[in-house]
Amino acid sequence: MTPEAIAPVEHTHIAIVGAGPAGLAAAAEASRAGARVVVLDEQAVPGGQYMRRREPGSSAPPGRVRAEPQRLKERLLSELIIDRVEIRTETGVWGAFAGNVLALHTAGAVRFLRYERLVVAAGAYDRPMAFPGWTLPGVFTAGGAQALVKGYGTLPGRRVLLSGSGPFLLPVAEDLAQAGAQVVAVLEATHPARWWWELRHAWRHRDRIGEALHYLSALRRARVPVRLGHAVSAVRGDGRVEEAVITRVDDAWRPVMGSEETVAVDAVCVGFGFLPCTELTRLLGLEHRFDPLRGGWIPVHDTEMRTSAPEVFVAGETAGNGSAQVAVESGRLAGIAAARSLGHLSQEAAQARAGAVRPRYRKAREFADLMLSIFAPRPGIYAPVTDETVVCRCEEVTAGQLRRVVGTWRYDLPGVKGALRTGMGLCQGRICGRIIAGFLASELGYAEEEFGSFSVRPPLKPVPLGALAAMSFVEGGDEG
Amino acid sequence: MRVAALRGRVTAAANVTFEVDGRPVQAREHDTIASALLAAGTRAFRRTRRMGTPRGVFCGMGVCFDCVVTVDGVRSVRACMTAVRPGMKVETQ
């Protein structure tokens, strides 16, 4: 069935999926070059996660560092050539048809959009880890907790513990403390020895280091202890989070026996870096490779951010974990190249514009890779997982089931899915995929990429029945 | 709980009322179902089919589908991605 048979198909030069730093930067460059652009985003306001608006009056006036995301958003929005850019919020992409057509879902209706070029800048989400008790209400991802505070002025809890790795935990802790939560501690699993050794490369990035120091001093003022080489190993409670077990971890992040201490908390926020959103790039059948440093399976792309399909570009976190700065500059490169490939820019003009972006991109990329290598999750993080620990939240599959299935036979992720239904729930393996691969890799001693990845299928996110029913209504010609 | 309530300030007026399992819940404009329920002190939004264990908001950004609720008769809607509307009828699953 062709999309035309279902609903009218709109048309644009360049479709951009994601209105975060990368998507908006791509839209700015492409529209400046003269292309018509449609930017699609699932959220209610453009900006993505990094530039999420702050709840008015929720906290003290943001300082120099905290004002940065809003300044970036204003700058990117002001760069858009408004006549040529349409930003569609609350619009999810749930499928892709042959002939460069995206299937959209917006306001309860199904729509189709044909593009000549596509930029996928779908962002990333917190990388979760399984541990006993992590399905209890009151366990949040760090990014989810920050979104609640920043976006809606709602605290995840009164007494909050943060656990994970990477610099992102610090601004989340500051947001929570500033909003009035008692942040019991920030647990950073990485050992300081790793930092000092790696940071010798960081002299070119004094501004970024300064940002981390800003957060650390803010946390010291708020009396929030930052404990290095520690992690949460279990969460307990009757129907909700009541206490958490903190352990010291060794260099491989294995819990140190006898170091357990129990703290009373009503919320635990975890974040071990991020995972790139690659559902759409995988659905499009693009070539991917496993890059353990930049978040796992990422679409292969060249220096112009062009993927294995010549009409598709990637930018930002979808192209591999980086930072907001990496996202902006990669978005610019993708926007320039997409507009150039449609003839909106001459070869020389495109080269001049991209040439101005590249040094900034490279510098940001270098620092992001340094951070990613310092804070990369280590295999011991799976050690607290018991047979009873749920690894697939949707289908409620436990580590014990997983161990039994792979005990005599080595399965890859599609094999495990067939045997246990892992990854067949509503999240389509977004949460459990890397957990299962990482857990099995640490148990069996294989490399994580050998387990492959779950296949994706449309709809990427469920489309309400009402919207599907409306498709036949639209066919009647009442819309469009 | 709300940020302002904890900091001893006057909370912005709750200006949207919606229904959860037949009970009225006060929310603020721009709230999602998830942020409004958490602010009202509700942690568990549903029970799982197999083990019957409670679940609530986990990822908070539309990825994990753990916070799904029934909204005006439509099942498995993500509470964290759905803005509250006056008179909206939410049922836990």
Side-chain angles (χ1 to χ4, degrees), chain A residues 186-347:
Chain A
V186 178
L187 309 181
E188 167 58 63
T190 307
H191 276 261
R194 288 186 72 81
W195 303 18
W196 297 124
W197 184 241
E198 297 286 347
L199 282 176
R200 72 196 190 279
H201 300 298
W203 62 273
R204 274 171 23 91
H205 307 281
R206 289 178 297 276
D207 49 337
R208 296 287 136 206
I209 301 293
E211 199 178 311
L213 293 176
H214 158 89
Y215 292 126
L216 287 172
S217 70
L219 291 176
R220 191 173 308 120
R221 280 196 304 278
R223 296 176 201 285
V224 174
V226 178
R227 301 176 67 178
L228 309 177
H230 283 75
V232 67
S233 61
V235 172
R236 293 192 284 248
D238 181 13
R240 58 189 291 165
V241 172
E242 287 167 355
E243 58 181 37
V245 180
I246 297 173
T247 52
R248 207 142 49 76
V249 296
D250 66 15
D251 192 47
W253 292 14
R254 279 184 302 264
V256 175
M257 295 287 268
S259 68
E260 298 86 2
E261 50 186 297
T262 304
V263 292
V265 289
D266 61 356
V268 174
C269 307
V270 284
F272 292 86
F274 297 91
L275 296 176
C277 289
T278 56
E279 296 92 345
L280 182 55
T281 57
R282 285 187 287 152
L283 186 67
L284 288 165
L286 305 179
E287 193 187 326
H288 288 66
R289 68 184 174 89
F290 192 85
D291 185 333
L293 186 67
R294 296 184 187 170
W297 294 100
I298 54 176
V300 173
H301 59 270
D302 64 15
T303 54
E304 295 189 319
M305 310 310 291
R306 188 191 301 262
T307 67
S308 58
E311 72 281 9
V312 183
F313 298 77
V314 284
E317 297 285 313
T318 296
N321 291 155
S323 63
Q325 291 75 31
V326 170
V328 169
E329 307 308 345
S330 65
R332 289 192 190 282
L333 292 174
I336 293 166
R340 159 69 197 133
S341 69
L342 289 172
H344 292 289
L345 286 174
S346 69
Q347 186 69 36

Side-chain angles (χ1 to χ4, degrees), chain A residues 11 32 89 170 175-176 222 253 288 300 305 353 377 382 403 452:
Chain A
H11 176 265
R32 184 157 78 101
T89 53
L170 301 177
D175 277 329
L176 290 169
W253 292 14
H288 288 66
V300 173
M305 310 310 291
R353 289 184 188 188
Y382 300 100
R403 280 181 175 129

Side-chain angles (χ1 to χ4, degrees), chain A residues 33-106:
Chain A
R36 271 193 299 117
V37 178
V38 174
V39 187
L40 309 161
D41 198 286
E42 233 186 343
Q43 306 275 338
V45 276
Q49 300 299 340
Y50 176 70
M51 303 186 292
R52 185 181 286 276
R53 76 182 140 75
R54 296 181 71 82
E55 165 80 359
S58 72
S59 54
R64 181 185 59 82
V65 169
R66 301 325 303 275
E68 216 173 89
Q70 288 317 308
R71 271 209 307 273
L72 175 62
K73 183 172 171 178
E74 279 158 32
R75 198 178 80 221
L76 290 174
L77 289 175
S78 74
E79 281 184 45
L80 300 176
I81 307 301
I82 290 300
D83 316 344
R84 290 195 281 269
V85 179
E86 187 193 339
I87 300 180
R88 292 196 197 168
T89 53
E90 293 185 275
T91 302
V93 178
W94 60 268
F97 286 84
N100 295 354
V101 175
L102 293 178
L104 315 178
H105 163 230
T106 180

Side-chain angles (χ1 to χ4, degrees), chain A residues 392-409:
Chain A
C392 165
R393 296 170 71 102
C394 298
E395 296 295 324
E396 305 185 86
V397 177
T398 63
Q401 287 174 278
L402 205 56
R403 280 181 175 129
R404 279 194 293 281
V405 161
V406 299
T408 50
W409 207 259

